[in-house]
Amino acid sequence: MTDGILGKAATMEIPIHGNGEAGQLPEDDGLEQDLQQVMVSGPNLNETSIVSGGYGGSGDGLIPTGKSFSCAGRGVVGEPQRCLMYLRETGVRELGPLGSGRHPSHNATPSGPGDEVARGIAGEKFDIVKKWGINTYKCTKQLLSERFGRGSRTVDLELELQIELLRETKRKYESVLQLGRALTAHLYSLLQTQHALGDAFADLSQKSPELQEEFGYNAETQKLLCKNGETLLGAVNFFVSSINTLVTKTMEDTLMTVKQYEAARLEYDAYRTDLEELSLGPRDAGTRGRLESAQATFQAHRDKYEKLRGDVAIKLKFLEENKIKVMHKQLLLFHNAVSAYFAGNQKQLEQTLQQFNIKLRPPGAEKPSWLEEQ
């Protein structure tokens, strides 16, 4: 029965008016009754598909098989011809249950606890980005004002002088460190040359009977120089290592605190300027609230600035004391070791290393290159 009804409906001609719209179908009481019966009982679409959009249309208008369809809830109930026209004009891709009364394209997933958490996290991230943007804008504005001489800048003359002195001292110590590493490289090359020369003298002493004595004491001299050179190299390496620690760790740690202090100073001046501008404006209800908020923010940045200024002053004091103590020891070591080496005083050279608790590796032990120890 259903096949006959659909075949009968498919063979009907729908007249088209000049404006491109479908005209009214001719009245056919039998067809209308059959379609009404189909709409009530529901056609069996398990083995058929209704294509919207006309013959040969795209697959976007396919109504999948195995689902029931009703025009109820779509404003086309009671007139089978209008229902068929609705199927042709709308490209319904997915259908709800029969008589559900909702359009499948408006399916909404109910929000759960996970959605609330996601929205909360997104809101927090947005607030962080917003605060960061406002802070960056204010600090950039303050920095440009200072560079062009239009804005005021908070200056602690004594602390600024100490910071500049620290930076200058660090540059000079880095130069000493570079020269010390060059000296260890030259000493290492000299030791390698002396060691090879001593081996050559010893070999020639055995193969040249007429010059055996001369080659022999030259070989002994080079071996002694190698031994003293290794002792000196150990002392210089210890000196270089201590300078490296002082420059790259102790001074650098203090300079990191200085950078944080300078950033806090810029923020402090930026919010101070913002508060001053608001204080000069009109005092209405809206401005009063903004002024209180700006006052609280300014106070927070002021506390941060004062704390970091105190931290920098303390670290500069401790750094100066530590620098004097370390350099007093290292300079004494360097002087005694170099003097004893070039004086040929092996005993004094060994005593110098014992005085500063510097232990050398045994001659036969494997040790890394001096470059790897840096």
Side-chain angles (χ1 to χ4, degrees):
M1 175 181 175
T2 303
D3 296 339
I5 296 171
L6 293 177
K8 185 175 181 181
T11 56
M12 293 184 60
E13 294 183 1
I14 303 176
I16 306 298
H17 296 297
N19 58 1
E21 297 180 354
Q24 182 67 32
L25 291 174
E27 297 182 358
D28 189 341
D29 297 336
L31 176 60
E32 182 175 354
Q33 293 176 1
D34 292 339
L35 287 175
Q36 289 177 354
Q37 182 177 359
V38 171
M39 298 303 295
V40 173
S41 61
N44 183 11
L45 301 178
N46 290 330
E47 298 180 356
T48 61
S49 296
I50 300 176
V51 181
S52 65
Y55 177 78
S58 63
D60 293 342
L62 287 177
I63 300 176
T65 60
K67 295 184 179 181
S68 301
F69 178 79
S70 173
C71 292
R74 295 176 171 83
V76 288
V77 180
E79 294 186 23
Q81 294 87 350
R82 291 180 59 192
C83 184
L84 287 176
M85 290 302 301
Y86 177 81
L87 291 177
R88 293 181 180 276
E89 294 173 359
T90 58
V92 182
R93 295 181 56 86
E94 183 176 343
L95 303 176
L98 182 63
S100 61
R102 63 180 179 85
H103 197 282
S105 62
H106 293 83
N107 290 340
T109 304
S111 60
D115 295 335
E116 296 293 336
V117 173
R119 283 195 292 269
I121 295 175
E124 292 178 359
K125 291 183 177 180
F126 176 77
D127 291 339
I128 292 174
V129 173
K130 180 181 178 181
K131 292 179 180 178
W132 174 84
I134 295 174
N135 186 73
T136 303
Y137 167 74
K138 292 181 181 295
C139 292
T140 305
K141 180 182 177 182
Q142 176 65 25
L143 182 61
L144 292 176
S145 299
E146 293 176 3
R147 292 288 176 86
F148 290 103
R150 299 176 181 174
S152 60
R153 179 177 182 270
T154 303
V155 179
D156 188 331
L157 293 178
E158 183 179 357
L159 192 61
E160 293 291 336
L161 183 61
Q162 294 178 3
I163 291 173
E164 186 59 31
L165 182 61
L166 170 60
R167 291 194 171 111
E168 182 65 23
T169 303
K170 184 174 182 290
R171 286 192 292 267
K172 293 180 179 180
Y173 274 57
E174 286 174 344
S175 177
V176 172
L177 178 61
Q178 184 178 3
L179 293 173
R181 287 173 174 170
L183 178 61
T184 56
H186 296 323
L187 284 175
Y188 182 78
S189 300
L190 177 61
L191 289 177
Q192 296 299 315
T193 303
Q194 288 177 336
H195 183 73
L197 188 59
D199 291 341
F201 285 155
D203 183 62
L204 288 172
S205 174
Q206 296 177 359
K207 296 180 179 180
S208 303
E210 66 280 2
L211 296 175
Q212 182 177 5
E213 184 177 354
E214 290 79 359
F215 278 125
Y217 63 67
N218 275 281
E220 291 297 328
T221 302
Q222 293 302 320
K223 289 181 180 179
L224 179 61
L225 290 174
C226 284
K227 183 178 180 181
N228 293 342
E230 289 177 355
T231 306
L232 176 63
L233 184 62
V236 175
N237 274 331
F238 186 77
F239 172 80
V240 171
S241 176
S242 299
I243 299 297
N244 180 66
T245 301
L246 179 64
V247 171
T248 61
K249 293 184 179 180
T250 310
M251 290 185 177
E252 189 63 30
D253 177 69
T254 304
L255 287 176
M256 286 296 296
T257 307
V258 169
K259 291 179 181 178
Q260 296 175 3
Y261 158 74
E262 291 175 344
R265 196 279 308 163
L266 183 64
E267 291 179 349
Y268 165 74
D269 283 336
Y271 285 93
R272 175 182 57 80
T273 303
D274 188 46
L275 180 61
E276 291 174 355
E277 292 177 355
L278 286 176
S279 300
L280 296 176
R283 298 298 182 89
D284 54 6
T287 307
R288 191 176 300 110
R290 292 174 56 192
L291 187 61
E292 293 177 357
S293 178
Q295 180 68 36
T297 307
F298 165 74
Q299 187 62 39
H301 285 284
R302 181 179 181 178
D303 295 340
K304 180 181 178 181
Y305 165 73
E306 295 290 345
K307 179 180 180 302
L308 285 172
R309 184 172 65 173
D311 293 345
V312 170
I314 293 174
K315 284 198 172 186
L316 286 173
K317 180 181 178 181
F318 285 151
L319 174 62
E320 186 65 21
E321 295 176 356
N322 187 37
K323 182 191 70 174
I324 294 175
K325 185 185 299 184
V326 170
M327 291 308 299
H328 175 76
K329 176 182 177 180
Q330 295 304 317
L331 290 174
L332 185 61
L333 163 68
F334 188 82
H335 174 268
N336 293 344
V338 172
S339 300
Y341 172 79
F342 284 101
N345 193 338
Q346 180 181 359
K347 184 177 180 181
Q348 183 182 354
L349 187 59
E350 293 176 353
Q351 288 177 352
T352 301
L353 267 66
Q354 293 175 1
Q355 179 184 357
F356 294 96
N357 298 322
I358 301 175
K359 296 180 180 181
L360 299 178
R361 294 177 181 270
E366 296 183 358
K367 59 180 180 179
S369 170
W370 66 272
L371 291 172
E372 299 175 357
E373 294 177 353
Q374 302 307 310

